[in-house]
Amino acid sequence: MGERVFINDVGPRDGLQNQAKVLTPEQRVQLISALVDAGLTAIEVGSFVLPSAVPAMAGTDKVIEALPGGIASSQVYYSVLVPNQKGFQLAQSAGVRCVEMVVASTETMNTENIRRTTEQAMAGCEQMIGLSKEGGIDSLACISTAWECPFEGLVDADIVIKMSDQMLNWGATRVVIADTIGAAGPDAVHELMNSLVQRFGAEHLACHFHDTRGMGVANTYAAVSAGIRHFDASVGGLGGCPFAPGATGNVATEDLALMLSQAGYETGIDLKKLVAAADLAGEMTGSPAGGHSSRWLKRQIEKGAL
Ligand code: COA
Ligand code: ZN
């Protein structure tokens, strides 16, 4: 068996939050169940944010109540995004065992996304990491727009290195380096991830790529080559960020799973079932869902080769 690479499907959060159509909590649970069935062992199931800011994430508490295996399932590592202490408290009361918080690398992006300066956002992050540690909850600290910001342009690697260092010192379980607008290319990804791995070790890092320029899979490969083994991806390539102009879908989970398996890695994912989950996401959201590989994958399924 090949070396394991872990994929966290963020479609039910990053994917759905940017769809024109708002799904019911029941539909969101149906999508999550299809992902569990397809072998995903980590899923971001929603967020505790201001419902008026992100209507698609209202009712995350109801989603949590109906998750296959329960929120504390030992089979699937469920996480939620929290923007502030209030969100953290709601997540904690719902029995969540892993929270994700996001700080952007630039001032403008923090202001647009969470109405905080970077300093305020980092202070909030420190507090929430502290609360997570006290409560025995894992914390994923995400640095968004890590390569390029839609407002401020190219981001200096030293900023990302310094923020990662602080987040890990505060006790974050892992730092997630995110290309929120899908602007990075493989060389830039390899360079930054390589320097982060040298400093902090690959087990404390993850990557989150968007496929805006079709480079999500190439960027993943570059990060794998730098030693990264944890990735976010979104079923059917659903996604975007409502607060980052130009951000389109996340790299599709099926594209990552296919590339990784061809490169000899083990993901535990059943591609046939994952394609079915992507179709379900497409039907429910009414927007086309599917990665670059989905036509080929479907032909293999028709031929009985998958
Ligand atoms: N969940 C639900 N309600 C919340 C909340 C949360 N996490 N955080 C704050 N609120 C409520 C407050 O209780 C307050 O309610 P009140 O007016 O009845 O007293 C109100 O919202 C305003 O609180 P405030 O702290 O001033 O928040 P804000 O208006 O500055 O909004 C955020 C800040 C971060 C909560 C909001 O902008 C948000 O949720 N953004 C979404 C970010 C996101 O999901 N981005 C995409 C992923 S990266
Ligand atoms: Zn994203």
Side-chain angles (χ1 to χ4, degrees), residues 6-236:
F6 299 88
I7 299 184
N8 175 34
D9 201 301
V10 297
R13 197 278 301 170
D14 208 2
L16 294 183
Q17 77 180 11
N18 205 35
Q19 300 299 310
K21 187 164 172 214
V22 171
L23 303 192
T24 63
E26 292 73 22
Q27 289 176 308
R28 289 160 63 190
V29 171
Q30 209 186 331
L31 177 60
I32 293 163
S33 304
L35 292 172
V36 172
D37 195 38
L40 266 302
T41 52
I43 305 176
E44 191 171 60
V45 297
S47 58
F48 285 104
V49 298
L50 197 56
S52 58
V54 190
M57 291 294 106
T60 290
D61 51 341
K62 295 203 178 66
V63 170
I64 285 176
E65 281 167 16
L67 288 173
I71 182 71
S73 161
S74 57
Q75 310 291 315
V76 190
Y77 190 68
Y78 292 122
S79 60
V80 299
L81 182 133
V82 295
N84 56 15
Q85 271 205 47
K86 165 132 190 189
F88 178 86
Q89 278 152 8
L90 291 170
Q92 191 167 34
S93 326
V96 166
R97 65 175 174 134
C98 177
V99 292
E100 184 183 25
M101 36 267 206
V102 179
V103 182
S105 65
T106 66
E107 289 297 338
T108 322
M109 189 62 201
N110 282 313
T111 317
E112 293 289 325
N113 190 32
I114 50 171
R115 301 182 210 170
R116 303 278 183 275
T117 64
T118 304
E119 201 183 321
Q120 288 168 333
M122 283 299 273
C125 184
E126 180 178 9
Q127 259 175 348
M128 288 190 280
I129 291 172
L131 291 171
S132 304
K133 279 200 336 195
E134 272 171 35
I137 296 172
D138 288 348
S139 56
L140 303 176
C142 177
I143 303 176
S144 68
T145 59
W147 283 273
E148 192 169 330
C149 166
F151 307 103
E152 298 190 25
L154 288 179
V155 173
D156 189 346
D158 289 341
I159 294 177
V160 179
I161 293 169
K162 187 171 170 216
M163 287 172 76
S164 304
D165 189 30
Q166 287 176 312
M167 288 163 161
L168 289 169
N169 272 327
W170 295 330
T173 309
R174 200 171 288 121
V175 173
V176 183
I177 308 296
D179 183 18
T180 313
I181 56 168
D187 287 339
V189 167
H190 192 274
E191 198 179 328
L192 179 60
M193 295 321 298
N194 197 41
S195 39
L196 291 169
V197 168
Q198 301 301 320
R199 284 179 172 78
F200 308 118
E203 66 280 15
H204 295 121
L205 297 160
C207 283
H208 174 113
F209 293 117
H210 282 249
D211 214 12
T212 320
R213 304 186 190 182
M215 289 192 218
V217 168
N219 288 342
T220 304
Y221 190 75
V224 169
S225 310
I228 302 299
R229 296 292 179 267
H230 284 85
F231 293 92
D232 288 350
S234 171
V235 59

Side-chain angles (χ1 to χ4, degrees), residues 221-258:
Y221 190 75
V224 169
S225 310
I228 302 299
R229 296 292 179 267
H230 284 85
F231 293 92
D232 288 350
S234 171
V235 59
L238 290 178
C241 172
F243 308 98
T248 60
N250 294 71
V251 63
T253 310
E254 50 272 39
D255 287 343
L256 275 208
L258 180 61

